[in-house]
């Protein structure tokens, strides 16, 4: 059915309001009018239509500032849902959330090795479709699928150049075709930075470096209030900063990369080697093929005071701090946020990171950079995946306007 331009414009405005209220929680018609440069009557009309359609609710009146108190409007959390997917090199999490990023179905977590796994994409699609079938939510109430994943990713084209080859289709298109829902992909570290900027500890800050402490060590860069991706979308390969000349061989083929010296996988392998060598520790022997189990176990042990586990994280933290000194010299950020899975042991990492910064960083620069530990932690990537869907929420109609 042909859509008239007037209807498209109206839908676009309403979609922009939905998107805005998702990020800003509650606003008045006057605030929305100023933000979108639209008349208050046109905003009021769109808001009233959204209330009738169930997308917006009245939030009550704003506190008095001397004049008439404006009526505030907020998003209806259950009006739509988002399928958030967080992937790393070893495992994947799927979670259906509402428009307040709150879970509405149980999270599913499963092992999914990405490297040298030709079946990974088929398994991912199977898991998504099974999850949707059992969630009990009609597809028309799901705004889309947001997926964070490691690798060299072009989020605009929807291509992962490292993992999950979709043949002659983009990964976005392949997933959309196979699931029947709009699908969007982005680098996991960029989405973690996006989550911290929109809903986390970096909210409202303009110059922030967000470190994704996972099985690798990623970086999401917020520059001038926006996610910075570089020319080809690959900016932020922090894990491949060389910190030694003759260090361990990295998966990229070079020696001495930060990832090969201080990632969670490296910490896990060193823990396994230490146990085999008879180190005194509460950790139990785990086969090297199950580094993920060891990663979780060593964080638990460190938080419970295990000296060997703390020693391993202290060594990793010092090396991360050495790399952060380089980053601070180049970017001069307002803050550095430790986020991702490894944020659980952020307090243990802080002291050795600071020690390295004292040694390798110009004091005037390091004193101006605040080190923060994420409050979102392991949930950051799932929240970022939801944000990714809402960032694209009004673009379908916008593209129709351009085409028309």
């Amino acid at each position: 059915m042909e859509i008239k331009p007037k209807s498209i414009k109206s839908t676009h405005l309403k979609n922009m309001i939905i998107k805005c209220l998702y990020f800003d929680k509650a606003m008045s018609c006057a605030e929305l009018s100023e933000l979108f440069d639209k008349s208050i009557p046109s905003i009021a009309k769109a808001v009233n239509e959204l209330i009738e359609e169930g997308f917006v609710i009245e939030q009550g009146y704003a506190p008095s500032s001397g004049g008439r108190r404006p009526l505030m409007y907020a998003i209806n959390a259950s009006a739509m849902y988002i399928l958030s997917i967080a992937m790393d090199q070893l495992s994947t999490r799927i979670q259906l959330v509402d428009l307040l990023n709150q879970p509405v179905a149980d999270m599913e977590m499963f092992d999914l090795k990405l490297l040298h796994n030709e079946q990974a994409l088929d398994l991912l699609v199977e898991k998504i479709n099974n999850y949707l079938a059992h969630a009990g939510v009609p597809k028309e109430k799901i705004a889309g699928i947001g997926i964070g994943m490691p690798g060299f990713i072009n989020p605009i084209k929807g291509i992962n150049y490292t993992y999950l080859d979709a043949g002659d289709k983009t990964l976005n298109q392949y997933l959309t075709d196979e699931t029947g829902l709009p699908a969007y992909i982005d680098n996991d570290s960029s989405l973690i930075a996006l989550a911290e900027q929109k809903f986390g500890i970096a909210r409202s800050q303009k110059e922030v470096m967000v470190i994704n402490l996972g099985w690798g060590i990623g970086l999401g860069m917020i520059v001038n209030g926006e996610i910075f991706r570089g020319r080809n979308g690959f900016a932020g390969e922090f894990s491949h900063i060389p910190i030694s000349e003759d260090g361990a061989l990295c998966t990229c083929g070079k020696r001495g990369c930060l990832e090969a010296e201080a990632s969670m996988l490296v910490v896990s392998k060193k823990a396994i080697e230490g146990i085999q060598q008879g180190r005194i520790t509460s950790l139990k022997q785990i086969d090297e093929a199950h580094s993920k189990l060891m990663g979780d176990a060593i964080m638990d042990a460190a938080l419970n005071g295990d000296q060997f586990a703390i020693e391993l994280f202290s060594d990793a933290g010092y090396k991360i701090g050495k790399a952060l000194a380089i980053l601070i010299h180049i970017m001069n950020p307002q803050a550095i946020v430790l986020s991702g899975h490894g944020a659980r042991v952020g307090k243990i990492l802080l002291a050795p990171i600071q020690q390295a910064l004292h040694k390798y960083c110009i004091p005037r620069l390091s004193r101006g950079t605040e080190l923060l530990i994420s409050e979102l932690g392991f949930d950051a990537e799932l929240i970022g995946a939801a944000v990714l869907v809402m960032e694209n929420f009004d673009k379908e109609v916008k593209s129709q306007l351009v085409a028309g």
Side-chain angles (χ1 to χ4, degrees):
M1 181 178 69
E2 182 181 356
I3 303 176
K4 297 180 181 179
K6 185 177 179 180
S7 300
I8 294 174
K9 288 179 181 178
S10 175
T11 302
H12 185 218
L13 177 58
K14 289 194 288 187
N15 284 358
M16 288 194 300
I17 292 172
I18 290 171
K19 179 178 174 179
C20 181
L21 294 180
Y22 167 78
F23 289 116
D24 292 303
K25 301 304 181 188
M27 297 184 75
S28 67
C29 282
E31 289 171 327
L32 290 166
S33 171
E34 183 177 355
L35 180 65
F36 296 133
D37 194 24
K38 301 284 186 182
S39 69
I40 289 180
S42 65
I43 291 291
K45 178 177 182 294
V47 167
N48 287 329
E49 289 177 2
L50 287 170
I51 291 173
E52 291 177 8
E53 294 164 5
F55 286 97
V56 170
I57 57 175
E58 293 182 355
Q59 187 79 352
Y61 290 94
S64 176
S65 59
R68 185 178 178 182
R69 296 166 62 195
L71 186 59
M72 305 298 286
Y73 298 95
I75 200 74
N76 179 2
S78 60
M80 286 189 306
Y81 302 100
I82 303 167
L83 193 66
S84 293
I85 301 176
M87 307 182 72
D88 59 36
Q89 291 95 328
L90 302 177
S91 63
T92 294
R93 291 171 288 152
I94 302 179
Q95 177 82 76
L96 191 68
V97 300
D98 63 18
L99 293 181
L100 293 179
N101 298 322
Q102 296 300 309
V104 295
D106 291 339
M107 183 182 73
E108 180 176 355
M109 184 172 182
F110 54 93
D111 292 339
L112 181 58
K113 186 178 178 183
L114 296 182
L115 188 63
H116 306 311
N117 184 2
E118 295 181 357
Q119 305 303 316
L121 182 55
D122 290 337
L123 180 58
L124 175 63
V125 168
E126 180 184 337
K127 290 288 187 179
I128 291 173
N129 285 328
N130 286 341
Y131 187 94
L132 290 170
H134 290 92
V137 175
K139 283 189 176 181
E140 55 267 23
K141 288 207 70 174
I142 300 177
I145 303 172
I147 310 178
M149 56 181 67
F152 291 110
I153 293 174
N154 185 321
I156 296 174
K157 293 183 178 179
I159 299 173
N160 188 334
Y161 295 98
T162 311
Y163 305 113
L164 303 174
D165 183 9
D168 58 355
K169 293 184 179 181
T170 67
L171 192 49
N172 278 2
Q173 189 60 56
Y174 183 88
L175 291 166
T176 297
D177 292 344
E178 293 297 318
T179 63
L181 290 169
Y184 309 95
I185 67 166
D186 203 342
N187 177 267
D188 52 352
S189 298
S190 292
L191 288 190
I192 287 173
L194 197 59
E196 297 292 351
Q197 181 195 31
K198 299 296 186 181
F199 296 107
I201 202 166
R203 188 161 193 174
S204 303
Q205 297 194 29
K206 297 291 187 181
E207 312 291 336
V208 185
M209 303 292 106
V210 180
I211 309 302
N212 174 18
L213 298 173
W215 304 116
I217 303 176
L219 170 65
M221 308 172 72
I222 301 170
V223 177
N224 196 26
E226 301 288 340
I227 298 295
F228 180 76
R229 301 182 184 278
R231 183 185 175 205
N232 297 316
F234 306 146
E237 281 302 314
F238 183 62
S239 60
H240 298 292
I241 287 180
I243 61 170
S244 66
E245 289 292 330
D246 54 355
L249 182 66
C250 182
T251 54
C252 73
K254 302 185 185 301
R255 301 184 72 88
C257 292
L258 177 63
E259 183 167 306
E261 298 286 334
S263 70
M264 189 71 73
L265 280 175
V266 172
V267 170
S268 297
K269 289 176 181 177
K270 287 182 177 179
I272 292 170
E273 291 170 1
I275 294 169
Q276 292 171 345
Q277 293 166 7
R279 289 294 304 266
I280 298 174
T281 175
S282 62
L283 293 164
K284 306 299 182 184
Q285 177 64 51
I286 296 178
D287 186 85
E288 279 196 47
H290 298 89
S291 295
K292 178 181 173 297
L293 296 176
M294 178 55 81
D296 292 330
I298 193 174
M299 283 193 286
D300 290 338
L303 292 171
N304 287 321
D306 185 284
Q307 293 302 301
F308 177 50
I310 292 171
E311 178 187 316
L312 290 172
F313 279 122
S314 294
D315 179 64
Y318 186 82
K319 292 172 179 175
I320 291 169
K322 185 176 181 180
L324 288 179
I326 299 172
L327 188 62
I328 290 172
H329 286 149
I330 295 171
M331 299 304 298
N332 186 26
Q334 179 181 358
I336 292 174
V337 178
L338 304 182
S339 188
H341 197 184
R344 285 183 61 205
V345 291
K347 290 183 179 180
I348 296 173
L349 294 170
L350 277 183
I353 287 175
Q354 287 282 17
Q355 184 182 2
L357 291 181
H358 286 312
K359 182 173 182 178
Y360 295 107
C361 197
I362 296 172
R364 183 180 294 274
L365 285 170
S366 61
R367 281 197 302 266
T369 300
E370 189 176 10
L371 280 176
L372 303 170
I373 301 172
S374 170
E375 297 170 356
L376 302 178
F378 199 29
D379 292 331
E381 189 179 347
L382 284 170
I383 294 171
V387 171
L388 177 63
V389 173
M390 295 309 294
E391 283 277 325
N392 286 278
F393 185 69
D394 61 338
K395 292 182 180 176
E396 289 295 324
V397 172
K398 191 181 293 183
S399 65
Q400 292 178 35
L401 281 167
V402 173

